[in-house]
Amino acid sequence: MNRITECKSVLSLIVVLLCFILQSNAQGVLSLEDCRRLAIENNKKLKIADEDVKASEAQKAEAFTKYLPSIDAMGVYLRNQKEINLLSDDAHLPVGSIGSDGKFTFRPDQLMVGSDGKPVMVNGQYVPKDYALLPKEAMTVDERNLGIVQVGLTQPIYMGGKIRAYNQIAGLSEQLAKSKRSQELQNVILSTDEAYWQIVSLVNRKKLADKYVETLTKFVHDVELMYTTGVATKADVLSVRVKLNEGEMVQTKVDNGLSLSRMLLNQICGLPTDTIVMLKEEMADTDVEEVPAESLERVYSRRPEVASLQLATDIYKKKEKIALSEYLPTIALTANYLSSTPSFFDGVSTKFDGMWSVGVGIKAPIFHWGHPVRVYVVRRHRRTR
């Protein structure tokens, strides 16, 4: 009795394990919307299109920064071979005085006197008696170690419409990326619907082929009995068997096509290719809804390909403005702070010292062999042609 109970317990455990395994391997019934959702979630091209949209949004934000001022910093260190000497030798400066008229003059006691007691003159000039020494080292600047630090601010004021055109192109590029993403989404939905309804069609064809083979099998059996009784001929039996073989070939083709279609749908939905899923339309007959008629103009207006072509045309129009802006003047406000060592702002010093500056820069092309205009004219000619 105990052995019987143990056997029943083991059998129950095996049944539970088998049910659990079958339940884990079985797939639920998928509708068309479920397949579309899985295909959208697992399509790699659609994910790439999403990243392209994010990149275009980042480029649009980056293009807007061209309106804002830019701040740059620069640091330079140079090791020079020689120092700067303003004097080749020590200088001797005559000692005199400033007269009442503000001119530099010599007093009699500041002039060299000859043996005759009169001031000595050389080339018509009096010779001073005393000199002030200006040593060479005092006029030497040690620039062997040179350091420069600059911080600058640039605010564009007018760039010939270039910045505005860049921002417009960035906005159009964002719309173009979204249009391409919409086109890729429609392609994913289209391929999913084709694979889905292909399976539904093959399932119904399989039912018809199985019914046809079943009918022919019964018919072959009846014809063989008729041949046995002498009612039918051998040719009748062979003719019916040929039809049965043709039906079995059609049945095999449908089975193979159904397997391949299921693998294709699994690939589109991101499922393992050996997974067998049941579709909602396989289990019940569905009526085909009539699609309302619609004009081709409205169909074309909703196509993302047409919108992409229009956006591409607008982008090239903005590029024409960028080419034309090369022939227009540009105006920018600049502000800088420059510091260096050695510095010369208050004598010669080895400390960092600097100054700030503010200015407005204007740049206007005068003659470049017609390069900007020629480019603009060629692009206009290509567009109008």
Side-chain angles (χ1 to χ4, degrees), residues 217-261:
T217 302
K218 293 180 180 179
F219 190 53
V220 167
H221 177 70
D222 295 340
V223 172
E224 288 179 347
L225 291 177
M226 293 173 64
Y227 173 73
T228 302
T229 58
V231 178
T233 64
K234 185 67 173 179
D236 295 333
V237 176
L238 295 176
S239 177
V240 174
R241 286 182 176 177
V242 168
K243 292 294 183 181
L244 178 60
N245 290 335
E246 292 177 353
E248 290 176 347
M249 289 177 61
V250 172
Q251 188 182 34
T252 303
K253 290 181 179 179
V254 172
D255 290 337
N256 293 336
L258 182 60
S259 299
L260 293 175
S261 298

Side-chain angles (χ1 to χ4, degrees), residues 54-115:
K54 294 180 181 179
S56 64
E57 293 175 351
Q59 290 176 356
K60 182 180 179 181
E62 189 270 339
F64 180 76
T65 61
K66 301 299 181 182
Y67 287 115
L68 306 177
S70 59
I71 301 176
D72 301 303
M74 181 187 68
V76 178
Y77 170 77
L78 294 175
R79 174 62 182 178
N80 299 317
Q81 179 186 4
K82 297 180 180 181
E83 58 186 10
I84 297 176
N85 296 307
L86 301 181
L87 295 177
S88 59
D89 298 305
D90 293 340
H92 297 81
L93 302 179
V95 178
S97 59
I98 302 299
S100 59
D101 56 355
K103 294 182 180 181
F104 182 78
T105 60
F106 297 100
R107 298 195 307 270
D109 58 342
Q110 293 175 334
L111 298 175
M112 184 178 293
V113 180
S115 58

Side-chain angles (χ1 to χ4, degrees), residues 134-352:
L134 181 60
K136 176 183 176 181
E137 291 77 8
M139 301 300 293
T140 298
V141 180
D142 187 5
E143 279 199 338
R144 288 175 297 179
N145 294 302
L146 176 63
I148 300 175
V149 176
Q150 180 184 5
V151 179
L153 181 145
T154 303
Q155 171 62 56
I157 298 175
Y158 177 72
M159 294 289 137
K162 184 185 301 183
I163 297 179
R164 185 168 180 268
Y166 275 133
N167 278 268
Q168 291 174 346
I169 289 177
L172 293 173
S173 299
E174 181 185 7
Q175 297 179 22
L176 182 60
K178 291 181 179 179
S179 178
K180 290 183 178 179
R181 197 264 181 194
S182 176
Q183 179 181 351
E184 192 62 39
L185 177 62
Q186 292 186 12
N187 292 335
V188 171
I189 294 176
L190 176 62
S191 60
T192 305
D193 289 359
E194 288 178 348
Y196 184 91
W197 292 112
Q198 180 73 14
I199 293 176
V200 174
S201 175
L202 290 174
V203 167
N204 292 321
R205 290 181 63 182
K206 176 177 172 54
K207 293 179 181 178
L208 182 61
D210 293 342
K211 192 68 176 177
Y212 181 64
V213 171
E214 181 182 355
T215 303
L216 286 176
T217 302
K218 293 180 180 179
F219 190 53
V220 167
H221 177 70
D222 295 340
V223 172
E224 288 179 347
L225 291 177
M226 293 173 64
Y227 173 73
T228 302
T229 58
V231 178
T233 64
K234 185 67 173 179
D236 295 333
V237 176
L238 295 176
S239 177
V240 174
R241 286 182 176 177
V242 168
K243 292 294 183 181
L244 178 60
N245 290 335
E246 292 177 353
E248 290 176 347
M249 289 177 61
V250 172
Q251 188 182 34
T252 303
K253 290 181 179 179
V254 172
D255 290 337
N256 293 336
L258 182 60
S259 299
L260 293 175
S261 298
R262 290 187 185 277
M263 292 173 65
L264 177 60
L265 182 62
N266 291 336
Q267 181 182 8
I268 294 174
C269 296
L271 300 174
T273 55
D274 57 348
T275 303
I276 298 178
V277 296
M278 295 299 296
L279 304 182
K280 183 179 179 181
E281 276 71 13
E282 292 185 39
M283 308 171 66
D285 296 332
T286 56
D287 297 332
V288 179
E289 297 181 359
E290 183 179 358
V291 179
E294 196 169 4
S295 63
L296 292 178
E297 288 77 9
R298 295 186 60 184
V299 174
Y300 291 150
S301 63
R302 293 198 301 267
R303 291 300 302 169
E305 298 91 339
V306 179
S308 298
L309 292 174
Q310 183 61 43
L311 290 172
T313 302
D314 295 338
I315 288 174
Y316 277 100
K317 289 180 180 179
K318 302 304 178 184
K319 288 185 177 181
E320 290 181 3
K321 294 184 178 180
I322 294 176
L324 181 61
S325 66
E326 297 294 333
Y327 200 66
L328 300 177
T330 57
I331 305 173
L333 173 66
T334 61
N336 297 278
Y337 180 80
L338 177 65
S339 179
S340 65
T341 178
S343 60
F344 307 91
F345 299 105
D346 190 10
V348 179
S349 175
T350 58
K351 296 181 179 180
F352 266 102

